[in-house]
Amino acid sequence: MRMSRRADQLDPAGTGARTETTTEWSRFGVAASELLSPSARAARLRDSPFGQAFTEHMVTIRWTADRGWHHASLRPYGSLPLDPAMVGLHYGQVVFEGLKAYRSPDGQTSVFRMADHARRLQRSARRFKMPELPESLFTESIQELVRIDRAWVPAAEGRSLYLRPILYAEEPHLGLRPATTYRYLLMAFVTENFFGAAEDGVSVWVTDTYTRAVIGGTGEAKCAGNYASGYLAQQEAADHECQQVLYLDATERRWVEEMGGMNVFVVRGSGAAAEIVTPPLTGTILPGVTRDSLLTLARDAGLRATERPLALEDWRDGAARGEITEAFACGTAAGVTRIRRVVTADGAWNAGSAAGAPVTGRLRAALTAAQRGDGPDPRGWRHPVR
């Protein structure tokens, strides 16, 4: 299968030159007769932890300063050549995305909010002075992979096909400058909720040792280093019997920002008077697509949805008074997961006072319906795979 597209692309090295991009799709070693049988696929999925049950294929696309985006290919999943001096390996010029494909009750397959993830990948690339993959090419890559690996998209509620696009600098040089060659890679794996069932909610550890991001840094970009730098704090959380870490702002160590890999909300009040509150995007918080979806769905349901600063002590005191009734984490991997307990160096407290977390459950159901196709799609969030 061959497709061609031309697009202008700024030179990431900063010369101001523009290169013309021509992309042709190729298939290497991809044949329907070579796909895994249902039994072999089921065996690969059996007892597979999160992020390990990869599908059979992947997409790669190259970018060079003289040719732009080219050599787009769909190929069997496998190793890629790696030069020991690759810029991405040494200097961290690596950004990525995470989105999901779902199988609806009528058997159709669709990808949730694909265009929004394409644009966020572009913003992350811009922050790291990398070439921006055109939205149309991002969409084509997703369609190509999901189409060939459609059988991997689970039908069971609570499960989905997680798509991982990644862009990295592959030029071999150590001159401390942006690379002139890059590779876009797309792979996929079958997943359920990051926390599993987590019906009783999760506990979070508030670290006073580490911070996630600072103003002017890379907090609003989805880059590899943001996650690796959180491993020590995540170990702190595990040492305190918590499933996730909660970060405060880097200046006052007072304001709630986000968790290790997901955004955070609290619920004030209950019933028709309930309000969901999440910290505003100030440059240090990743602008989550799930976060934005929930703000929209809450307003559609008649709930107040507000972005405003949340001090940790206000959360604690509000929960004690019964004013903050629920709290939850959200993200592509986490979905909507109730936060049950907050643990700090000074003690622990319940994150909310409402039994059963009804607002959290209501929003989880609304998000699941929007993702899986249980009802209309007035905002065009679902992108069918033909």
Side-chain angles (χ1 to χ4, degrees):
M1 181 176 183
R2 293 163 64 89
M3 302 179 186
S4 297
R5 172 164 281 101
R6 294 169 57 178
D8 288 335
Q9 175 64 53
L10 278 173
D11 172 14
T15 65
R18 301 189 77 89
T19 59
E20 186 180 86
T21 295
T22 301
T23 302
E24 294 186 344
W25 279 93
S26 301
R27 293 174 181 263
F28 297 100
V30 176
S33 60
E34 298 173 352
L35 298 180
L36 287 178
S37 66
S39 59
R41 191 165 54 249
R44 187 180 293 187
L45 290 173
R46 192 174 298 119
D47 299 325
S48 295
F50 182 91
Q52 294 188 27
F54 295 102
T55 67
E56 298 167 71
H57 300 91
M58 64 185 188
V59 167
T60 65
I61 312 175
R62 293 200 69 216
W63 189 96
T64 57
D66 59 335
R67 294 187 59 185
W69 294 103
H70 61 282
H71 283 167
S73 67
L74 175 70
R75 61 181 66 200
Y77 181 94
S79 300
L80 292 170
L82 179 95
D83 192 289
M86 186 184 79
V87 173
L89 180 63
H90 289 266
Y91 298 138
Q93 231 186 340
V94 182
V95 297
F96 65 96
E97 264 304 317
L99 65 162
K100 287 182 175 180
Y102 298 86
R103 192 179 300 276
S104 62
D106 63 3
Q108 298 299 309
T109 300
S110 61
V111 181
F112 190 65
R113 298 197 67 168
M114 182 160 49
D116 298 282
H117 286 279
R119 289 189 285 268
R120 191 171 67 177
L121 182 65
Q122 290 176 333
R123 293 194 299 271
S124 295
R126 195 178 311 138
R127 176 62 181 83
F128 280 75
K129 206 163 180 57
M130 303 170 75
E132 298 172 30
L133 186 75
E135 184 179 323
S136 56
L137 195 50
F138 181 95
T139 299
E140 285 181 12
S141 73
I142 299 290
Q143 293 274 355
E144 285 287 309
L145 184 61
V146 176
R147 188 181 294 116
I148 192 69
D149 284 342
R150 190 192 304 266
W152 288 80
V153 182
E157 186 171 346
R159 307 199 78 203
S160 57
L161 185 68
Y162 189 104
L163 299 157
R164 169 50 55 83
I166 182 170
L167 176 62
Y168 60 92
E170 65 173 4
E171 181 186 2
H173 84 81
L174 300 180
L176 204 57
R177 61 161 173 79
T180 58
T181 61
Y182 296 83
R183 187 182 294 269
Y184 167 81
L185 174 65
L186 173 66
M187 64 189 81
F189 60 90
V190 177
T191 182
E192 56 185 13
N193 186 290
F194 181 78
F195 294 110
E199 295 178 357
D200 294 331
V202 297
S203 297
V204 299
W205 164 254
V206 182
T207 178
D208 56 8
T209 307
Y210 304 103
T211 58
R212 179 184 173 276
V214 297
I215 296 292
T218 61
E220 63 182 355
K222 197 168 180 67
C223 62
N226 283 354
Y227 294 80
S229 64
Y231 289 162
L232 273 175
Q234 183 59 40
Q235 183 58 55
E236 269 193 359
D239 291 343
H240 289 83
E241 300 183 345
C242 293
Q243 290 76 46
Q244 260 291 319
V245 60
L246 179 69
Y247 290 99
L248 304 178
D249 71 291
T251 304
E252 298 182 62
R253 303 294 181 94
R254 178 190 177 199
W255 303 97
V256 172
E257 294 221 316
E258 65 176 293
M259 291 163 63
M262 52 212 73
N263 297 116
V264 61
F265 282 79
V266 300
V267 180
R268 289 185 175 275
S270 60
E275 175 191 25
I276 65 169
V277 180
T278 191
L281 301 177
T282 57
T284 59
I285 296 175
L286 184 72
V289 175
T290 305
R291 172 188 181 276
D292 181 75
S293 300
L294 291 171
L295 288 169
T296 300
L297 292 169
R299 290 165 183 147
D300 287 348
L303 298 173
R304 287 185 297 160
T306 306
E307 299 172 77
R308 67 169 180 265
L310 172 66
L312 184 66
E313 65 266 28
D314 291 342
W315 183 358
R316 180 196 60 211
D317 296 344
R321 292 191 299 266
E323 297 169 2
I324 292 181
T325 52
E326 303 174 40
F328 59 87
C330 69
T332 299
V336 179
T337 300
R338 178 189 176 191
I339 299 173
R340 176 177 52 85
R341 192 166 176 78
V342 179
V343 183
T344 75
D346 297 324
W349 36 276
N350 292 331
S353 59
V359 174
T360 300
R362 181 180 176 187
L363 290 174
R364 183 190 299 116
L367 179 65
T368 299
Q371 292 167 332
R372 288 177 50 81
D374 298 336
D377 182 26
R379 300 182 184 279
W381 283 350
R382 294 193 297 270
H383 299 260
V385 176
R386 306 297 184 190

